[in-house]
Amino acid sequence: MLEAGWTGTSTVPSRGLYPHQWSWDSAFIAIGLRHVSPLRAQTELETLLAAQWADGRIPHIVFNPSVPLDAYFPSPDFWRSSTAGRSAGAPRTVQTSGIVQPPVHALAAWLVHLADPGLSRARGFLTRLYPRLAAWHRYLLHRRDLGGGGLVSVGHPWEQGMDNSPCWDRPLSRVTPAPARSFRRADLDHGSPEDRPTDLDYGRYVRLASDYRDRGYADGPGDFAVEDPAFNALLIASEYALARIARELGAAASARQDRAERLTTALVERLWEPSAGMFLCRDVRAGELIPERGVSGLVPLLLPSLPRDLAATLVRTLCGPHFGLGGTTRLVPSYDLLGEAFDPHRYWRGPAWFNTSWLLERGLRLHGERGRADALRRGILHTAGASDFAEYVDPYTAQACGATGFGWTAALTLDLLHDRPAGDRNGVTAIKGGHRG
């Protein structure tokens, strides 16, 4: 499947539905590819980072010029990166979007390096990527602290990656949708409308993106600004990875380690909600937490410096009635099973996704929950194969939803097959905290 999606320099998530290069997809794909082709995994990340803007942002889409404009919306002529993004330093030689996605890239780069350190050093892989990754983190920390509390805010649901999560319903309700006649959704040519975001959702996405474009991609508190626990947790995990990369390159790493710990403290102070037993999103404009339980609020379990009592509470919530892991579900649903907005088939409003389950498998293992991590790993592997490597699945029945033959599902399956738990005759110990056990 990954071979079929390979363009020669990167991997498309899905030939039909997503025919370009996506930012966090490429990071997850590189994590899987490192086991079978470390060179291709390095190239995947190098191609993405070659499209970085001068202000440090890594765009969420890098467009393939050979793909017809009408194959995907929003297309390059919507984003107009080379003109609208000129003041922010958009590249002139490639067309990109103007928004970002979760910063899992430094973690991916470190894991790719570990797969073949000799090749990595011979090619100068980390030497070339480190300054770009540092600039990416600098952009997020300096330009996106819209709430003033030290955490990064996203300005569009697409930036967080969980596009139509019910966690966004409240802040999105302030956004006047673009008229339906002003855009045509190409995604419905490849997926069932029941599995996809609604037209109202899309109208609001288009409005937010066009307003940002028309501001020249200048960052600031707009109609939608949310501090998201998963986005910030992935930034923290990548800060730890950057510290390891710095040490590998003979550079000082203590400042990055300290920053990761400060960000973890800020995450707890601003987004932890004891009554929910998990982290919640913060609506920056309203100045309040959003009372919806999404899988995003569990992802901080992958952080090594998370206080022990909070980690234990997250495990109880993960396995309790709201997410049902190990009981009613084999993979982690994207939204509260008991929530009013729960829908088992509609994108991020309930279906289980393989990348978030992969992240939580790492988190469980990191915090000593070996039995639960092993069970989740088995669930991921079984469901991936049984669903034809679906984009996402019904959390109860594991029925395939969205695209099949999906890039990161195939890649993360490869990763779990190669990094196997101790005592499992099919493999070796999974990665903990960025190091192979």
Side-chain angles (χ1 to χ4, degrees), residues 59-71:
H60 96 296
I61 303 174
V62 181
F63 290 106
N64 183 341
S66 67
V67 173
L69 286 178
D70 62 358

Side-chain angles (χ1 to χ4, degrees), residues 348-419:
W348 288 95
R349 301 182 79 82
W353 287 72
F354 291 87
N355 65 328
T356 48
S357 287
W358 179 87
L359 289 168
L360 288 166
E361 192 269 353
R362 288 174 63 87
L364 286 167
R365 204 169 297 285
L366 176 66
H367 288 283
E369 295 284 346
R370 175 179 166 180
R372 289 189 170 102
D374 288 350
L376 179 53
R377 174 184 174 273
R378 290 192 297 269
I380 294 170
L381 293 175
H382 172 80
T383 306
S387 68
D388 194 19
F389 300 88
E391 186 179 1
Y392 47 100
V393 297
D394 181 310
Y396 291 123
T397 68
Q399 176 188 338
C401 302
T404 53
F406 196 68
W408 73 31
T409 305
L412 296 177
T413 297
L414 272 179
D415 187 64
L416 290 177
L417 286 170
H418 281 77
D419 272 336

Side-chain angles (χ1 to χ4, degrees), residues 232-256:
N232 281 279
L234 290 170
L235 175 62
I236 294 166
S238 279
E239 273 291 311
Y240 281 118
L242 269 187
R244 296 184 182 101
I245 292 171
R247 281 194 289 270
E248 165 69 21
L249 298 176
S254 59
R256 296 206 173 276

Side-chain angles (χ1 to χ4, degrees), residues 100-426:
V100 302
Q101 274 189 327
V104 68
H105 311 89
L107 174 61
W110 177 243
L111 296 179
V112 167
H113 165 78
L114 290 178
D116 191 336
L119 176 68
S120 173
R121 291 170 187 141
R123 296 187 67 246
F125 173 65
L126 292 181
T127 302
R128 287 180 288 110
L129 260 62
Y130 181 76
R132 289 183 174 273
L133 292 168
W136 166 223
H137 286 205
R138 222 168 20 247
Y139 164 79
L140 292 172
L141 292 165
H142 294 171
R143 303 286 187 89
R144 290 298 193 93
D145 181 9
L146 305 181
L151 296 182
V152 173
S153 294
V154 295
H156 195 292
W158 287 339
E159 293 196 315
Q160 196 274 347
M162 304 178 189
D163 305 16
N164 67 332
S165 168
C167 299
W168 319 140
D169 289 355
R170 183 177 292 190
L172 273 179
S173 68
R174 295 191 293 261
V175 179
T176 302
R181 64 182 181 278
S182 66
F183 60 92
R184 178 190 172 277
R185 296 179 58 180
D187 63 313
L188 297 182
D189 296 340
H190 305 280
S192 168
E194 289 75 27
D195 292 353
R196 305 291 300 166
T198 65
D199 285 343
L200 177 60
D201 289 331
Y202 247 80
R204 287 174 167 149
Y205 303 155
V206 171
R207 173 72 69 185
L208 284 171
S210 60
D211 286 352
Y212 190 38
R213 176 200 65 204
D214 294 344
R215 296 200 308 269
Y217 296 110
D219 293 308
D223 289 333
F224 184 94
V226 174
E227 292 173 354
D228 172 74
F231 194 102
N232 281 279
L234 290 170
L235 175 62
I236 294 166
S238 279
E239 273 291 311
Y240 281 118
L242 269 187
R244 296 184 182 101
I245 292 171
R247 281 194 289 270
E248 165 69 21
L249 298 176
S254 59
R256 296 206 173 276
Q257 190 89 14
D258 292 345
R259 183 179 296 118
E261 293 173 3
R262 287 197 306 273
L263 286 167
T264 302
T265 299
L267 184 73
V268 172
E269 290 176 349
R270 291 184 65 79
L271 303 186
W272 178 254
E273 178 47 62
S275 65
M278 61 187 299
F279 293 88
L280 300 180
C281 298
R282 177 177 291 277
D283 183 341
V284 171
R285 182 166 171 179
E288 61 187 16
L289 294 176
I290 299 169
E292 299 285 359
R293 292 178 173 90
V295 68
S296 170
L298 301 172
V299 171
L301 188 63
L302 62 81
L303 299 178
S305 57
L306 193 68
R308 184 174 300 179
D309 59 326
L310 268 61
T313 302
L314 283 178
V315 173
R316 287 195 296 271
T317 301
L318 174 63
C319 300
H322 293 286
F323 294 91
L325 186 67
T328 55
T329 64
R330 291 189 72 177
L331 269 63
V332 186
S334 53
Y335 176 64
D336 185 357
L337 298 170
L338 306 180
E340 290 184 11
F342 175 78
D343 183 329
H345 284 186
R346 195 177 291 279
Y347 219 44
W348 288 95
R349 301 182 79 82
W353 287 72
F354 291 87
N355 65 328
T356 48
S357 287
W358 179 87
L359 289 168
L360 288 166
E361 192 269 353
R362 288 174 63 87
L364 286 167
R365 204 169 297 285
L366 176 66
H367 288 283
E369 295 284 346
R370 175 179 166 180
R372 289 189 170 102
D374 288 350
L376 179 53
R377 174 184 174 273
R378 290 192 297 269
I380 294 170
L381 293 175
H382 172 80
T383 306
S387 68
D388 194 19
F389 300 88
E391 186 179 1
Y392 47 100
V393 297
D394 181 310
Y396 291 123
T397 68
Q399 176 188 338
C401 302
T404 53
F406 196 68
W408 73 31
T409 305
L412 296 177
T413 297
L414 272 179
D415 187 64
L416 290 177
L417 286 170
H418 281 77
D419 272 336
R420 289 163 288 202
D424 182 344
R425 289 188 303 170
N426 294 322

